[in-house]
């Protein structure tokens, strides 16, 4: 009878449909588990970023103070004491440090399409905004490095590196040692050019500091 075929079809349909629901449920459970794993991993990355940003902020604040002090002494008369202070504040401007975000998890999410697993849209948007901001910060650091090179090209013409090469890690000795510090040139134009490049470098670094502050808030 046709009812017999109907019930066989219905039972088969229900069996297939139930299998589909079970498989769909299983996939949701797996995806939810993967979402938790990604979030735990991302949280670990952000903790590392926060620690790095805290250290870098302290370092950058010191650098900004060194830049300000060197700018001040570059404008003063070239007395023995002022020249000593110029070398003292110049030495830290020969090195730098920048923020490098931990991209372990975000790279996995982007390459595998894992961002779709994050069900909370606000969380997903916040993650995206954070890593866009890290790219902007990277762009700012690249700009800074360009000016850093220009600054040191000028510094090579003004400061005598041979006078502090052994003091690189003993900077405080510059203030107490009997050595009389001298510049390679006392040309006002070259010193003024050095000042201008340092001023630009300081301005860019201050803007970079704003990126770090915002990243600390978002992390």
């Amino acid at each position: 009878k046709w009812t017999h075929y109907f019930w066989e079809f219905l039972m088969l349909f229900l069996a297939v449909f139930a299998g589909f629901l079970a498989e769909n449920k299983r996939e949701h459970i797996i995806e939810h588990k993967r979402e938790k794993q990604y979030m735990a991993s991302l949280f670990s990355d952000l903790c590392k970023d926060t620690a790095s940003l805290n250290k870098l902020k302290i370092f950058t604040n010191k650098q900004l103070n060194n830049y300000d002090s060197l700018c001040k002494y570059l404008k003063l008369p070239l007395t023995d004491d002022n020249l000593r202070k110029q070398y003292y504040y110049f030495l830290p401007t020969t090195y730098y440090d920048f923020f490098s975000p931990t991209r372990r998890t975000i790279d996995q999410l982007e390459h595998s399409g894992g961002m779709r697993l994050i069900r909370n849209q606000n969380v997903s948007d916040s993650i995206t905004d954070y890593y866009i901001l890290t790219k902007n910060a990277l762009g700012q650091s690249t700009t800074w490095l360009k000016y850093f090179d220009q600054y040191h090209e000028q510094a090579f013409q003004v400061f005598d590196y041979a006078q502090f090469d052994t003091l690189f890690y003993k900077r405080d000795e510059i203030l107490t040692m009997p050595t009389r510090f001298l510049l390679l040139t006392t040309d006002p134009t070259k010193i003024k050019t050095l000042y201008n490049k340092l001023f630009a470098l300081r301005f860019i670094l201050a803007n970079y500091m704003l990126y770090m502050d915002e990243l600390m808030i978002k992390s």
Side-chain angles (χ1 to χ4, degrees):
K1 296 181 180 180
W2 68 268
T3 54
H4 175 74
Y5 292 110
F6 171 76
W7 286 112
E8 280 191 350
F9 169 78
L10 182 60
M11 293 298 290
L12 181 61
F13 172 79
L14 291 175
V16 172
F17 184 65
F20 169 78
L21 291 178
E23 181 64 20
N24 192 48
K25 179 66 174 177
R26 187 178 71 86
E27 287 182 1
H28 278 295
I29 292 173
I30 292 175
E31 289 184 350
H32 184 50
K33 183 178 180 180
R34 289 177 62 197
E35 179 191 16
K36 287 185 175 181
Q37 291 172 340
Y38 277 129
M39 291 301 96
S41 180
L42 187 63
F43 178 76
S44 176
D45 290 351
L46 292 177
C47 286
K48 292 178 182 178
D49 282 0
T50 300
S52 296
L53 286 166
N54 281 322
K55 291 180 181 179
L56 188 58
K57 186 173 181 179
I58 294 172
F59 172 82
T60 305
N61 276 324
K62 290 180 179 179
Q63 287 294 80
L64 289 173
N65 288 333
N66 286 320
Y67 289 176
D68 289 339
S69 297
L70 182 54
C71 281
K72 169 188 171 182
Y73 283 100
L74 284 174
K75 293 191 295 184
L76 295 178
L78 299 179
T79 64
D80 288 349
D81 183 62
N82 288 344
L83 285 169
R84 185 178 299 276
K85 294 290 180 58
Q86 285 183 16
Y87 273 92
Y88 178 76
Y89 290 112
F90 168 69
L91 193 149
T93 70
T94 62
Y95 50 82
Y96 59 86
D97 191 14
F98 285 117
F99 172 60
S100 180
T102 306
R103 294 192 55 87
R104 174 191 57 172
T105 305
I106 190 63
D107 285 344
Q108 292 177 3
L109 288 169
E110 290 178 347
H111 295 157
S112 66
M115 288 297 293
R116 65 179 179 79
L117 299 175
I118 303 175
R119 293 170 295 175
N120 189 313
Q121 189 61 44
N122 289 332
V123 172
S124 179
D125 291 343
S126 295
I127 293 171
T128 300
D129 290 344
Y130 175 81
Y131 284 101
I132 288 176
L133 190 58
T134 63
K135 291 180 180 179
N136 293 338
L138 179 61
Q140 186 76 357
S141 65
T142 301
T143 300
W144 186 90
L145 283 172
K146 182 178 72 173
Y147 280 87
F148 179 82
D149 290 340
Q150 294 178 10
Y151 164 70
H152 275 280
E153 285 179 6
Q154 189 65 29
F156 291 149
Q157 302 178 45
V158 176
F159 286 100
D160 183 2
Y161 285 60
Q163 294 198 67
F164 68 83
D165 57 351
T166 60
L167 303 173
F168 197 81
Y169 297 105
K170 297 180 291 184
R171 175 182 169 225
D172 288 341
E173 291 186 15
I174 293 176
L175 297 178
T176 57
M177 63 190 305
T179 304
R180 183 168 180 252
F181 288 90
L182 298 172
L183 299 177
L184 293 177
T185 179
T186 58
D187 183 348
T189 301
K190 288 189 175 182
I191 294 176
K192 183 64 176 178
T193 301
L194 179 67
Y195 174 91
N196 291 344
K197 291 183 180 296
L198 179 63
F199 184 86
L201 202 61
R202 195 256 183 232
F203 179 79
I204 298 169
L205 189 61
N207 283 335
Y208 182 72
M209 189 73 165
L210 297 178
Y211 280 110
M212 286 191 288
D213 290 337
E214 192 171 351
L215 282 169
M216 290 183 70
I217 294 173
K218 289 185 177 295
S219 63

